[in-house]
Amino acid sequence: MTFLWPQLLWLLLAVPLLVLAYVWLLRRKKKLALRYASLLVVREAMGSGRQLRRHIPPLLFLFSIAAMLLAASRPFAVVTLPMQQETIMLAIDVSGSMRATDVLPNRLVAAQNAAKAFLAELPRGVKVGIVAFAGSAQVAQIPTINREDLVSAIDSFQLQRGTAIGNGIVLSLATLFPNAGIDLGDMGYGRDRSRGVAIDEEAKPEKKPFVPVAPGSYSSGAIILLTDGQRTTGVDSLEAAKLASEYGVRVYTVGVGTVNGETIGFEGWSMRVRLDEETLKAIAGKTQADYFYAGTAADLKKVYETLSSRLTVEKKETEISGLLALAAALLAIVSAGLSLLWFNRIL
């Protein structure tokens, strides 16, 4: 636990002073009782149980004061809380290999259905964006809380040639950090000069150097990558995962299909498509995330339900002054209630 105003912890010295004052009052009352023998006899007749019980309300009130004084120092602690204002990017493969029927009715339809089921499980306050990738990547839906727009974007997927998994990751990352200057062109054509940029434009002042953060440390967003893992073009998948890890973003990978795969035909050509689990595990591992296997449509839905559970709570350092103030109020109420119940007075 840390404190924003630690100097106010000195106020806790009032607690032992209050204890001493309470002990002094008890001794003072005892001396007064000795002057009146009849009062002393009555008190002894009350029994030790009642004598002990009369100390409970003051003790609870003392704890209440201690909690209020502790709250005044604005303590921070690591607690598990629902995530707020987070953004989840769904990067979904729409390449020709997603027409394979090793997941019924086919990989793409199963992915679409599971994605929509995932959206239904998320809290309404969670923003979701969608990136569709094949030979290139496009933002199908900018991050929004409007579930109807998201479902419409998912239903509009069209199969295309090529599989640029890295492009899907980088574009999702650029959507999460719109002001970071993340450019697919820089990664695809070298970092010295972007393709198609005029020389006079390059004379502009350089951007502030990017400082990488710890992998998995970004808690306000995540990427869920759904694909069969067979890259055929675009940015290298592991290079894209490395970039995501430098931004602290976790990339959860979901493998669609079977390891054996099947042979499919598309526009006059045929190819064997299978699930590349090793690549997907490596992507997840680089970003401190997890890989999930989805061999059937039912498995895929379970994966998304698991992700929903994982992505809607987090451990973070937050101020707990409000919790301590609530505890102090409850202790004060209980203290007053017991005193009224047992002795017909407040403390």
Side-chain angles (χ1 to χ4, degrees):
M1 184 180 292
T2 57
F3 300 89
L4 188 61
W5 296 342
Q7 61 272 20
L8 294 184
L9 289 173
W10 288 104
L11 294 174
L12 290 173
L13 291 176
V15 175
L17 293 178
L18 290 173
V19 173
L20 292 176
Y22 181 68
V23 172
W24 177 79
L25 286 174
L26 289 178
R27 290 182 176 178
R28 184 170 178 271
K29 287 183 178 181
K30 188 174 181 179
K31 289 179 179 180
L32 291 175
L34 289 174
R35 296 180 182 178
Y36 303 96
S38 58
L39 180 61
L40 185 60
V41 171
V42 171
R43 183 165 295 180
E44 290 177 352
M46 291 168 57
S48 60
R50 187 174 176 84
Q51 286 287 329
L52 179 63
R53 191 169 62 177
R54 70 191 183 97
H55 298 302
I56 294 178
L59 180 63
L60 293 176
F61 190 69
L62 183 68
F63 286 153
S64 174
I65 293 175
M68 285 188 284
L69 294 176
L70 195 60
S73 62
R74 300 187 63 183
F76 281 74
V78 177
V79 295
T80 300
L81 294 172
M83 294 177 67
Q84 297 180 352
Q85 297 182 347
E86 71 277 16
T87 301
I88 295 174
M89 293 300 303
L90 295 178
I92 302 179
D93 192 343
V94 294
S95 63
S97 60
M98 294 293 283
R99 69 172 54 246
T101 57
D102 50 357
V103 178
L104 296 176
N106 62 47
R107 294 179 182 179
L108 180 62
V109 173
Q112 289 173 313
N113 292 337
K116 287 184 282 189
F118 173 67
L119 292 175
E121 294 292 328
L122 284 178
R124 293 293 297 184
V126 178
K127 286 186 177 181
V128 179
I130 298 174
V131 167
F133 64 90
S136 60
Q138 302 86 30
V139 177
Q141 176 61 56
I142 61 173
T144 178
I145 61 173
N146 190 314
R147 300 299 188 247
E148 290 74 20
D149 289 348
L150 292 165
V151 170
S152 296
I154 291 171
D155 287 335
S156 66
F157 288 162
Q158 297 292 328
L159 293 175
Q160 304 169 33
R161 288 188 177 182
T163 307
I165 296 174
N167 290 35
I169 296 174
V170 174
L171 187 56
S172 297
L173 199 61
T175 306
L176 283 174
F177 300 95
N179 300 319
I182 301 173
D183 189 358
L184 270 170
D186 290 344
M187 298 193 68
Y189 304 102
R191 299 184 183 273
D192 295 333
R193 184 166 70 89
S194 300
R195 189 177 72 166
V197 177
I199 295 176
D200 58 346
E201 290 182 7
E202 290 198 79
K204 296 178 181 179
E206 293 184 359
K207 297 177 182 177
K208 184 179 179 180
F210 169 68
V211 179
V213 299
S217 60
Y218 183 70
S219 60
S220 296
I223 298 172
I224 299 176
L225 176 69
L226 195 148
T227 178
D228 55 21
Q230 286 188 299
R231 167 184 168 266
T232 62
T233 187
V235 176
D236 181 75
S237 303
L238 296 183
E239 183 181 352
K242 181 177 181 294
L243 180 65
S245 71
E246 291 175 348
Y247 277 87
V249 177
R250 298 176 189 267
V251 182
Y252 295 88
T253 54
V254 181
V256 183
T258 58
V259 175
N260 294 330
E262 67 173 29
T263 302
I264 63 170
F266 184 61
E267 296 183 355
W269 54 267
S270 63
M271 65 177 295
R272 186 79 177 178
V273 291
R274 64 178 187 83
L275 175 62
D276 184 2
E277 286 191 309
E278 296 304 316
T279 297
L280 296 181
K281 289 178 180 178
I283 292 172
K286 275 185 175 293
T287 61
Q288 301 296 306
D290 298 311
Y291 164 74
F292 300 92
Y293 170 69
T296 66
D299 291 338
L300 191 56
K301 184 177 179 180
K302 291 178 181 178
V303 166
Y304 272 100
E305 291 172 350
T306 303
L307 286 173
S308 175
S309 175
R310 284 171 176 259
L311 293 174
T312 54
V313 295
E314 67 171 349
K315 287 185 176 181
K316 62 183 298 184
E317 188 177 41
T318 188
E319 186 174 349
I320 59 172
S321 300
L323 293 176
L324 287 173
L326 176 61
L330 291 175
L331 286 170
I333 292 172
V334 172
S335 173
L338 291 177
S339 185
L340 285 172
L341 179 65
W342 290 340
F343 311 110
N344 293 320
R345 61 184 173 82
I346 298 178
L347 299 181

